[in-house]
Amino acid sequence: MRPKKRMKEIILLKDGELALKGLNRSTFEDILIKNLRGRLSSLGEFSFFKSQSTIVAEPLTEDIDLDEAVRRIGKVFGIVGISRAAVCEKDIAAVTDMAWRYLAEELQNAKSFKVTAKRADKAFPLTSPEICDEVGGAILSHFPRLKVDVHDPAVTVSVEVRDKGVYIHGAQKPGAGGMPTGTGGRACLLISGGIDSPVAGYMLAKRGVKLTAVHFASPPYTSQLAEMKVHSLLGKVSEYAGRVNLFTVHFTAIQEAIRDYCPEEMFTVTMRRLMMRIASRIAEWQGCSALITGESLGQVASQTMQALRCTDAAATLPVFRPCIGMDKNEIVVISRLIDAFDISIQPYEDCCTVFTPRHPRTRPTLAYAEEIEALLPDEDAMIDEAVKTAKLLVIEAYGDNAE
Ligand code: ATP
Ligand code: MG
């Protein structure tokens, strides 16, 4: 066993929409803590406990990189606020001393501050206003140029007297928001190497959805590098969404059949219907309740309402398209936020850009799309083969993620 160090710092986490969940609250919190545990497990041992409306993450060994822990927690859905805090014994002299030392850097550079105190442990001999007076006095004596400003302070020093000790912290950082991943079921993301689909995956994961992913590759028209690009993109999504099982489908024979048997103007819509059929099969097999795509209305010929209707009709599950009403630049903002953009713009062929029609039909009827698809010989056998030969790769941003 590793030596247990006398703990000095912990991380305080505020959960968000969980407050709305009434009786389900503790189940939601349990899932959130499981996700946190998985996300931090490769950094070292933590213990997690709930304390009033806060989850406390306590490192159990000295060598844990807390900066990295805070960065990772910043991508865990279900958390709205993160504070790294010093832990102090329940003695007011120790508290005042710790407060000015622990936050010296922030206080040094600030013009104003205030102290807030919460006394959950009513046995503590000072009241909250008395704690504020003591701590505020000590800070003023060490930083005499600082002013107290209770309305709009540059630094808020928080002192929380809890059962296990006194926690002292400065500003709370915003968390990733959303709902804990796994509380909203499972869905299957169709991921290309583009900008939109990783964003779509992130958006649904943010609503608590666990992701499975499907990527269609058409070697030799698409390269190994294009597949690796998808792995990197999913790695970025998995920093938020946790572990993602990626199925790579060998799509070449199907695309060649479409090229050989279907009119050029219907290549894309037919291809997208086949993608939906295959993804639906994998999704149902993997226990998913929906598909997710990165389509945005009107962005390209296959993303008109009529074309989307043709695509939807081939899916056996509901299709979620979180980017549908977004402009490209709005999608790019999220793509940059999740650090995917620079990967997405690497120029590798996607199977969508293989055999691209010069004049795609933008308003196909469903009857026509079905008629065209019926031209494909052995369609069912090709789909069976594609599903059967799909390759599984587990994507986990942080290695031994236990989620
Ligand atoms: P993206 O930026 O996500 O590639 P896009 O605007 O380029 O989107 P299309 O290429 O028409 O749009 O693809 C629309 C959607 O179809 C994608 O968002 C993605 O969900 C899915 N898709 C496209 N190509 C593939 C692929 N090779 N494998 C899996 N899904 C794909
Ligand atoms: Mg694309």
Side-chain angles (χ1 to χ4, degrees), residues 220-332:
Y221 305 105
T222 60
S223 67
Q224 188 60 36
L225 287 173
E227 282 186 47
M228 286 161 65
K229 178 183 179 186
V230 169
H231 303 166
S232 312
L233 284 172
L234 262 189
K236 292 294 179 188
V237 175
S238 119
E239 289 181 21
Y240 292 86
R243 179 199 296 171
V244 182
N245 286 349
L246 166 67
F247 292 87
T248 301
V249 174
H250 200 291
F251 206 46
T252 317
I254 290 176
Q255 283 204 281
E256 287 176 342
I258 295 171
R259 177 198 61 192
D260 295 343
Y261 293 95
C262 301
E264 186 183 315
E265 57 163 11
M266 289 296 282
F267 279 2
T268 312
V269 168
T270 310
M271 180 190 72
R272 303 208 40 74
R273 283 173 57 84
L274 270 290
M275 282 184 172
M276 289 300 183
R277 290 194 191 290
I278 294 166
S280 296
R281 285 269 298 272
I282 294 175
E284 295 207 34
W285 163 44
Q286 291 294 304
C288 300
S289 309
L291 303 179
I292 306 167
T293 73
E295 288 153 318
S296 156
L297 196 67
Q299 199 186 75
V300 290
S302 59
Q303 298 177 21
T304 63
M305 273 197 227
Q306 292 81 356
L308 292 176
R309 172 161 192 236
C310 296
T311 319
D312 264 5
T316 57
L317 291 170
V319 184
F320 293 154
R321 300 184 168 92
C323 302
I324 197 74
M326 295 168 77
D327 293 347
K328 194 74 183 186
N329 54 11
E330 292 169 325
I331 300 171
V332 165

Side-chain angles (χ1 to χ4, degrees), residues 11-68:
I11 306 171
L12 300 173
L13 308 168
K14 292 265 177 263
D15 49 29
E17 288 184 50
L18 296 188
L20 303 172
K21 296 293 164 196
L23 282 177
N24 283 332
R25 183 175 175 103
S26 81
T27 320
F28 275 59
E29 275 180 343
D30 290 346
I31 293 178
L32 178 54
I33 289 175
K34 179 170 157 273
N35 292 348
L36 284 163
R37 209 180 279 289
R39 219 57 72 80
L40 299 184
S41 63
S42 62
L43 292 179
E45 249 182 284
F46 281 82
S47 94
F48 295 91
F49 54 93
K50 303 177 209 173
S51 172
Q52 284 93 26
S53 61
T54 305
I55 294 172
V56 181
E58 176 185 341
L60 295 181
T61 53
E62 267 178 57
D63 53 344
I64 292 182
D65 179 350
L66 279 193
D67 289 338
E68 176 61 14

Side-chain angles (χ1 to χ4, degrees), residues 345-380:
I345 58 173
Q346 289 169 12
Y348 301 116
E349 285 276 304
D350 180 56
C351 69
C352 283
T353 50
V354 176
F355 315 139
T356 313
R358 280 157 294 181
H359 303 292
R361 187 178 275 226
T362 53
R363 291 186 172 73
T365 62
L366 178 54
Y368 185 55
E370 285 170 347
E371 200 181 299
I372 297 305
E373 193 180 316
L375 298 172
L376 291 172
D378 304 325
E379 186 192 0
D380 290 344

Side-chain angles (χ1 to χ4, degrees), residues 100-116:
W100 76 262
R101 286 182 199 279
Y102 186 60
L103 298 170
E105 211 177 297
E106 280 177 65
L107 292 167
Q108 192 85 56
N109 300 317
K111 289 205 165 66
S112 61
F113 80 107
K114 79 169 177 184
V115 182
T116 65

